[in-house]
Amino acid sequence: MQKARVAAVLTWIYAAAFGIPAIPVSIYLLQNGYLPMFMDLFPMYAGPWDGLEGWVFVTLLMAFLVVVLAASWAAWLAWKGRRSGLVLGLALLPVEAVFWLGFDLPFPWLFGVARGLLYALALMSQRQRPEGRLAG
């Protein structure tokens, strides 16, 4: 169960760092017509999709937020020892990856690889226990 819990913590860190900021970035974009800068280094969430119309881009940001919230919920289920959390967490990774590409987010890939491996390892160890709870 430790692997599932580490994956859950990584998911929540990722959600806080990349999911939650989608809200203020969306507001900023709608008010100003362009993306805010991250520490004066680069525009936030800029990537192949940043040339889209403002409302389309905001809709994609909100869809990303929904996917990240679903991943966070899957992490909660995994934390509680539920197999469904592991399966959902793995199933959401390819959906999340589409957004990582569209918003050109490099760091979530690192979190995603680690989460995927940890969820898969936890799922494999869970199969050893027939009652549906994760092995400790």
Side-chain angles (χ1 to χ4, degrees):
M1 191 150 109
Q2 183 179 2
K3 292 174 188 75
R5 289 193 167 185
V6 171
V9 170
L10 287 175
T11 302
W12 296 326
I13 292 169
Y14 149 73
F18 296 97
I20 293 172
I23 297 168
V25 168
S26 295
I27 294 168
Y28 187 93
L29 175 63
L30 292 174
Q31 288 177 344
N32 299 296
Y34 56 91
L35 292 169
M37 296 294 286
F38 180 77
M39 297 172 49
D40 287 332
L41 297 174
F42 53 86
M44 296 177 71
Y45 297 96
W49 293 345
D50 70 351
L52 297 172
E53 186 68 33
W55 279 101
V56 175
F57 193 81
V58 167
T59 301
L60 288 168
L61 278 172
M62 292 302 103
F64 176 58
L65 177 61
V66 168
V67 171
V68 169
L69 290 173
S72 296
W73 179 60
W76 176 251
L77 293 173
W79 180 275
K80 300 295 268 178
R82 305 301 284 249
R83 183 177 194 274
S84 60
L86 300 174
V87 172
L88 182 59
L90 282 171
L92 286 171
L93 282 171
V95 178
E96 293 173 68
V98 170
F99 289 102
W100 302 337
L101 287 169
F103 295 129
D104 198 20
L105 300 173
F107 294 112
W109 289 97
L110 301 173
F111 283 92
V113 167
R115 289 168 46 217
L117 288 173
L118 289 166
Y119 279 145
L121 291 171
L123 192 58
M124 289 184 339
S125 67
Q126 187 266 343
R127 288 184 178 180
Q128 296 171 0
R129 300 200 51 162
E131 65 268 8
R133 292 281 180 180
L134 298 179

